Amino acid sequence: MALVQAGVDAVALLGTHLSPEVIRQIENCNYLKVYMALDYDALGKSIENLQKLKNANVIALDKDVKDMNETERMELVNSL
């Protein structure tokens, strides 16, 4: 929700699993780039998910987006 409020189309995985349905929904939107932003302890899972999703890039976060303040979230969004 924090990223959506910042103007970014975002999907919360609610864990690290990227279901086939979520993959289909993301790919049906025809985004030019997709960013998978998970914290460092989920980096391995991010790379595994990256192989399932075309046009995807992994961003390792120091802290979860929901734990960022507004300034930190905007810095993240602007870095994309």
Side-chain angles (χ1 to χ4, degrees):
M1 292 301 298
L3 287 176
V4 170
Q5 290 171 346
V8 176
D9 288 341
V11 175
L13 297 180
L14 303 174
T16 58
H17 179 69
L18 189 60
S19 72
E21 177 59 25
V22 170
I23 292 170
R24 273 192 300 279
Q25 289 175 3
I26 292 170
E27 288 181 346
N28 285 341
C29 292
N30 295 316
Y31 292 112
L32 296 177
K33 291 185 181 181
V34 174
Y35 296 94
M36 178 149 321
L38 298 173
D39 50 13
Y40 280 103
D41 63 338
L43 189 58
K45 192 65 173 178
S46 296
I47 293 169
E48 179 183 317
N49 285 330
L50 180 69
Q51 296 169 356
K52 300 176 189 175
L53 192 59
K54 63 182 177 186
N55 299 328
N57 302 286
V58 171
I59 299 172
L61 300 174
D62 291 326
K63 63 174 149 178
D64 196 293
V65 174
K66 72 180 182 308
D67 298 326
M68 293 179 180
N69 62 39
E70 186 175 342
T71 301
E72 292 168 321
R73 281 192 296 270
M74 290 312 297
E75 286 174 358
L76 172 63
V77 169
N78 290 332
S79 73
L80 306 177

